[in-house]
Amino acid sequence: MKIAVAVLGTTVSEHFGSAESIRIFNLDAENNITETETIQGSGECGCKSGMAGILAERGVKVLLAGNMGGGSHTLLERNHIVVYRGCSGEVALVLDNFLNGSLTDQGGNCAEHDDHHHHEGHECNHHHQ
């Protein structure tokens, strides 16, 4: 399975369209990372960037991100990519949380084309077991 993470530095980008890169992790059946790939971010609105199609072409099935506009979310879903919004923090920790089943989509999209607005208070939503 391939999982993509919207990245800014070493953390999950607060907004999909503002990500400096998208990191793709290829996982084997035991969830071990077998390969990684990095795609340069477009620096424009996620719904206009064509990133959803690029990720789909590379076989991505899941995207972990901070937040995004409704247009981006719709395009990703149309490309059969499951989106987990509301993620924040170090990429490795967020990926681990997804793999151990403690990450859920927080839902709620940002206002359309609001790439420069900072979205504070988004944390990954964890199940309590």
Side-chain angles (χ1 to χ4, degrees), residues 49-100:
S49 68
M51 190 61 74
I54 292 168
L55 295 177
E57 287 172 6
R58 285 174 164 74
V60 170
K61 299 299 181 192
V62 174
L63 172 70
L64 310 179
N67 216 327
M68 63 188 61
S72 294
H73 187 250
T74 298
L75 286 171
L76 289 159
E77 286 191 325
R78 284 182 185 163
N79 280 281
H80 309 290
I81 297 172
V82 177
V83 180
Y84 286 76
R85 295 160 292 180
C87 298
S88 64
E90 292 293 318
V91 170
L93 179 59
V94 172
L95 183 60
D96 283 346
N97 287 336
F98 171 77
L99 294 175
N100 70 29

Side-chain angles (χ1 to χ4, degrees), residues 8 13-19 42-46 48 67-69 110-120:
L8 185 62
S13 178
E14 290 182 2
H15 196 275
F16 176 61
S18 301
S42 66
E44 62 180 334
C45 176
K48 295 179 180 178
N67 216 327
M68 63 188 61
C110 299
E112 197 65 31
H113 307 298
D114 194 14
D115 289 337
H116 301 293
H117 180 71
H118 293 285
H119 308 281
E120 297 182 23

